[in-house]
Amino acid sequence: MLSKLLIGVGAAALCATATISLADTSDKRIALSNNYAGNSWRQAMLASWEKVTGAAVADGTVAEAPAFTTAENQVTEQAAQIQNMILEGYDAIVINAASPDALNGAVKQACDAGIVVVSFDGIVTEPCAYRIAVDFHAMGKVEVEYLATRLDGGDLLEIRGLAGVFVDDEISAGIHEGVAENPQFKIVGSVHGDWAQDVAQKAVAGILPSLPEISAVVTQGGDGYGAAQAFAAAGRPTPLIVMGNRYDEMLWWKEQKDANGYETMSVSIAPGVGTLAFWVAQMILDGKEVPQDLTVPFLTITQDTLEDSLAATQPGGVANVEYSLEDAMAVVSGG
Amino acid sequence: MTSLTWISQKAWIWSFVGAFVVWLATALYIGGAGGTAVITTALSFATFTVIVGIGQMFVITTGPGNVDLSIPATISFSGAVAMKIMDGSNAMLPIGFAASMACGLVVGLFNYILIRILRIPPIIATLSSSFLVLSTAIAYGRGLKIKPPPLLAEFATARLLGIPVLAIVIILFAVVMSVVLNRTMYGRSVLAIGQNQRAAWLAGINVERIRFYTYVLSALLAALCGFLLSGFSGGASLNMGQEYLLASIAVVVIGGTSVAGGKANVPGIWGAAMFMFLLVTMLNTFGVSAGIRLILTGLIIVAVITIAGGDKPPR
């Protein structure tokens, strides 16, 4: 058993060296394993993937780059999907994972078969995989730091994401660290909005009667518009709500800005981060040196860039940045 | 003994008791006028759960194995189609509403075709149709967020003497559906089929026709929910139906309807929907962390169902 494993590892190492000696990726096949497609962010992510990889296939950079999405957002389903990709002989698998550790077995199998695995957004912890992570902690902290420049202090309402997902824990930890460093702010209520505006609206509407006057709402993206709706429905003054780059949030912000000079900021991850993962996979197949862990910057929209971002975003979409090979190289060398 | 029998026959009472206790705890914790605001908010949001809950109740009542899992997809689909067709115009309201109902009709028909003609078990049939419907919604809308017509938004959020108008309408609707369930040929047939399908058939009930009506009714109500919810929350989104899958089943069961079929009641759905919303609100207000909140939600629901189903009359 052990010797078999060792042979496997040896073979993988051989494959890896073989890959490095090749400097051409035109016959390489890269697959996207995606766990969920049911919200606007994921839709934008898939659209970006299709656009950028479509162009890369057309000009012969890679042979093909199909995207596969599991139907039920289940770990078992995605593990089976990855195993299918191994059998189909893809050269690289780009993963947005349903779980940071539960897919490690399947990811390890892929690595052992000599397949390059690049995870992004929902990253995997298996050491053989590459990770393109967002500094969610910093993203949460930035929100409070922005508030400190705008307000003298006050009571905050925190809208969290999906309970049990590490992204939610990270952003929230960042927010709480920011509040600890700016003691003029106090979080008086916290609800889970699941990054969805209708869920956020429901949760905020429920807790509002129990709260004092709120000066600002710290969010995780996708929930800002719902929070605004809940405040309006309760007949309360609209607080400063940090937005999350969604079209409906930016549109609402623009309307408020035009009507009464409302000022806020918006921060989130660009769904185009998937295309960065694609280029990183391509670079690795091309034999380039890429660090195992990369960090991508988040996308911030300010009062001044609001109009441009809104104009560039599709109705129903998310403010986006798509990566080119040059951008990817810049991120790799910078990180 | 008579009072005990009375209570055991009215299983729905417990959902109201639960809702009241949870509300009382919240109101005492907040103090002041906050308690009233909590009730009106709960009414607003429970309304949507009740709409789909009633449809789900009729489906579940037709007997073991009958459940409609396509409700969330239908909500998203109907909302997306209606919003896109109306495109924020008041004049298009009737057409948008008709389109939304047409969506419900198509999904209901499709579900029934899968169940009847292809003989697929309802749980699988509605699950697979939900994939198809949601994919259609995704392809059609691509996460589109169009504002509802002002008139619809106004109606969905309007209040009369502080009470949400939509809630009043749906309370009246629930009364009507209660009469339909207990006093009409259709409702009685649903109950009869749920108790014993073969006996119902032998008694001359057209079982398949009743089942057809039931699945179409459930899909129509899901479509209605999608239409109103889009008006209420400022537009349709792809995942707006998501939380109504388990909620629609939970309110039916907590409300005192038998999962085995053949025994149903409408008022319990209102109690259960209020209970579910108030429970989350209470735990949020207490500042309980998400993990503990989920554990407590589970435990309290189990407790309410156990109490509600605990004292069945001896046979």
Side-chain angles (χ1 to χ4, degrees):
Chain A
M1 182 66 203
L2 186 67
S3 64
K4 216 172 189 179
L5 197 75
L6 284 175
I7 292 170
V9 173
L14 266 179
C15 283
T17 29
T19 321
I20 286 165
S21 62
L22 285 172
D24 181 17
T25 58
S26 60
D27 60 339
K28 299 295 182 192
R29 296 157 67 230
I30 301 175
L32 171 65
S33 162
N34 176 37
N35 65 317
Y36 184 62
N39 61 31
S40 54
W41 197 91
R42 291 298 177 111
Q43 284 299 317
M45 183 194 96
L46 290 169
S48 290
W49 175 275
E50 206 175 298
K51 192 172 143 198
V52 170
T53 63
V57 171
D59 63 23
T61 312
V62 292
E64 60 168 328
F68 301 97
T69 301
T70 55
E72 280 286 270
N73 192 11
Q74 296 289 329
V75 168
T76 44
E77 210 185 351
Q78 195 171 16
Q81 184 196 48
I82 293 170
Q83 273 151 355
N84 281 337
M85 289 173 176
I86 298 172
L87 293 176
E88 286 169 46
Y90 283 98
D91 299 287
I93 302 175
V94 175
I95 302 180
N96 193 343
S99 154
D101 42 24
L103 289 170
N104 282 354
V107 170
K108 186 78 177 55
Q109 284 175 5
C111 291
D112 290 349
I115 297 168
V116 171
V117 179
V118 179
S119 62
F120 71 99
D121 187 38
I123 53 170
V124 294
T125 52
E126 169 57 45
C128 73
Y130 291 80
R131 275 163 294 279
I132 300 177
V134 180
D135 194 348
F136 290 108
H137 191 91
M139 193 173 121
K141 207 171 157 185
V142 154
E143 294 187 22
V144 184
E145 281 163 359
Y146 170 76
L147 294 182
T149 66
R150 289 282 318 281
L151 306 168
D152 296 329
D155 290 332
L156 308 183
L157 169 64
E158 181 191 12
I159 305 179
R160 300 187 53 162
L162 206 54
V165 180
F166 92 106
V167 173
D168 168 55
D169 293 332
E170 282 290 305
I171 299 180
S172 181
I175 288 172
H176 283 262
E177 191 184 302
V179 169
E181 287 173 17
N182 296 280
Q184 69 271 35
F185 292 110
K186 186 174 164 237
I187 295 178
V188 292
S190 173
V191 293
H192 282 265
D194 297 2
W195 301 309
Q197 70 100 6
D198 48 327
V199 181
Q201 181 188 8
K202 194 169 174 176
V204 173
I207 198 174
L208 266 186
S210 71
L211 298 179
E213 184 160 336
I214 298 296
S215 349
V217 182
V218 279
T219 64
Q220 299 198 353
D223 39 19
Y225 181 57
Q229 297 269 59
F231 274 90
R236 285 190 167 225
T238 310
L240 198 167
I241 304 172
V242 177
M243 293 298 171
N245 294 6
R246 269 55 167 193
Y247 181 83
D248 53 357
E249 295 177 334
M250 291 191 285
L251 192 65
W252 179 86
W253 176 8
K254 173 89 172 70
E255 283 166 11
Q256 300 297 309
K257 183 183 171 184
D258 293 346
N260 54 34
Y262 188 81
E263 250 185 82
T264 183
M265 59 110 58
S266 178
V267 63
S268 191
I269 322 126
V273 63
T275 61
L276 172 63
F278 167 76
W279 288 118
V280 167
Q282 191 269 339
M283 284 162 71
I284 299 166
L285 289 176
D286 199 20
K288 301 233 171 36
E289 276 294 321
V290 176
Q292 210 82 19
D293 286 276
L294 289 166
T295 306
V296 281
F298 32 81
L299 179 61
T300 308
I301 298 169
T302 64
Q303 200 75 2
D304 301 325
T305 58
L306 172 62
E307 274 82 6
D308 292 340
S309 300
L310 189 59
T313 307
Q314 270 189 325
V318 187
N320 199 0
V321 181
E322 274 150 9
Y323 288 81
S324 65
L325 181 55
E326 288 72 31
D327 299 334
M329 283 173 169
V331 170
V332 167
S333 56
Chain B
M1 193 59 215
T2 35
S3 66
L4 234 168
T5 323
W6 186 81
I7 284 184
S8 61
Q9 279 168 351
K10 307 271 189 255
W12 53 270
I13 288 234
W14 293 105
S15 61
F16 282 93
V17 171
F20 180 74
V21 169
V22 168
W23 170 76
L24 199 65
T26 317
L28 288 177
Y29 185 86
I30 304 171
T36 343
V38 169
I39 284 272
T40 42
T41 315
L43 276 171
S44 301
F45 285 96
T47 304
F48 302 103
T49 323
V50 170
I51 298 174
V52 286
I54 290 175
Q56 188 72 277
M57 182 203 75
F58 277 97
V59 172
I60 289 179
T61 306
T62 55
N66 282 300
V67 65
D68 187 352
L69 299 184
S70 65
I71 285 176
T74 313
I75 292 177
S76 302
F77 182 49
S78 139
V81 168
M83 288 307 120
K84 198 163 177 180
I85 286 180
M86 294 188 289
D87 200 18
S89 147
N90 279 338
M92 293 292 283
L93 254 177
I95 299 170
F97 182 71
S100 154
M101 289 298 104
C103 291
L105 194 64
V106 169
V107 176
L109 272 171
F110 185 68
N111 280 339
Y112 184 73
I113 288 171
L114 292 182
I115 295 167
R116 171 75 172 139
I117 300 182
L118 301 181
R119 300 202 169 276
I120 302 172
I123 196 163
I124 306 294
T126 54
L127 181 68
S128 40
S129 85
S130 84
F131 288 140
L132 293 173
V133 172
L134 191 62
S135 302
T136 316
I138 289 175
Y140 182 80
R142 284 274 158 207
L144 213 60
K145 191 96 198 181
I146 302 173
K147 289 227 145 108
L151 212 59
L152 175 63
E154 234 166 77
F155 169 70
T157 51
R159 288 184 179 193
L160 191 69
L161 305 172
I163 306 166
V165 172
L166 199 55
I168 300 173
V169 173
I170 299 303
I171 289 172
L172 294 177
F173 178 70
V175 172
V176 172
M177 291 318 276
S178 191
V179 173
V180 167
L181 175 70
N182 296 309
R183 294 275 177 273
T184 65
M185 198 48 201
Y186 166 71
R188 297 241 172 151
S189 304
V190 168
L191 289 168
I193 292 169
Q195 279 155 21
N196 189 326
Q197 187 170 327
R198 189 168 157 74
W201 180 73
L202 288 172
I205 294 173
N206 190 335
V207 174
E208 284 310 328
R209 185 183 297 166
I210 297 294
R211 256 217 290 182
F212 167 72
Y213 288 153
T214 306
Y215 277 93
V216 169
L217 175 70
S218 174
L220 280 176
L221 288 176
L224 177 69
C225 177
F227 183 77
L228 294 172
L229 193 58
S230 314
F232 180 78
S233 62
S237 57
L238 281 179
N239 43 6
M240 66 193 250
Q242 219 169 37
E243 57 173 331
Y244 290 93
L245 176 58
L246 291 178
S248 71
I249 300 171
V251 294
V252 170
V253 178
I254 296 174
T257 292
S258 163
V259 208
K263 180 168 161 277
N265 81 77
V266 179
I269 294 178
W270 256 109
M274 294 290 283
F275 171 68
M276 293 285 280
F277 182 85
L278 289 168
L279 183 60
V280 174
T281 300
M282 177 185 80
L283 297 174
N284 271 337
T285 309
F286 290 178
V288 180
S289 77
I292 297 177
R293 204 182 69 214
L294 291 177
I295 292 174
L296 284 178
T297 310
L299 287 178
I300 295 173
I301 290 174
V302 170
V304 167
I305 292 181
T306 318
I307 297 171
D311 41 12
K312 282 207 174 81
R315 290 177 192 232

